[in-house]
Amino acid sequence: ISGDTQQFAGVPPASQLKVLDVAMFSIGQFERSDASFRVFEHQTPEAYYRLVCRDGKLVGANLFGDNGPAGVVKTAIEEGRQLAEYGALLKRFPELKSFV
C-alpha cells in the first residue's frame, strides 16, 4: 500500500488444546536440527516444559500440564528477539539465563 516492498515471513505453527483437563501447547521448532540448538527441560509433578533455543533466542516450545507461560513463549518466538529481552520468561525459568 505504501509502495515499500515487504515480505511476510509467516508465523510459527502453534497448537493449543486441553484433553481430559490436561493443557498442552506447542509452537515453533521443538526438535534440534543441529548442535547449535540448546534444549531446556523442566518437570514438576503437574507440568513438563521443553524450550528450544538457538543463538540466544527461543525458537520452539512444548508445554504440558500448564499453559501459563504460553503467551510470553509465543511472543518471544514470533518476535524473534533475544531471550534477555523477556524478563518474565527468565523469571519463570531462571535456568534460561545461561542460554542468553
Side-chain angles (χ1 to χ4, degrees):
I1 294 174
S2 68
D4 290 339
T5 305
Q6 296 291 323
Q7 188 172 20
F8 177 63
V11 293
S15 300
Q16 185 168 340
L17 61 116
K18 193 170 191 176
V19 178
L20 300 173
D21 288 330
V22 178
M24 293 179 267
F25 175 77
S26 67
I27 186 170
Q29 184 170 349
F30 41 86
E31 289 295 329
R32 295 178 194 174
S33 58
D34 61 44
S36 68
F37 290 83
R38 297 183 63 195
V39 176
F40 165 75
E41 293 179 290
H42 180 74
Q43 187 169 352
T44 69
E46 299 82 28
Y48 169 77
Y49 309 93
R50 177 183 172 93
L51 305 175
V52 181
C53 301
R54 184 175 189 207
D55 299 328
K57 300 175 183 176
L58 189 61
V59 296
N62 295 103
L63 311 176
F64 180 82
D66 173 22
N67 283 355
V72 70
V73 164
K74 183 175 186 291
T75 299
I77 292 171
E78 288 177 347
E79 292 179 350
R81 297 192 326 228
Q82 293 293 310
L83 274 171
E85 297 180 48
Y86 297 96
L89 191 60
L90 295 175
K91 186 176 181 179
R92 176 80 184 247
F93 303 110
E95 300 91 340
L96 282 177
K97 290 178 185 173
S98 68
F99 289 34
V100 174

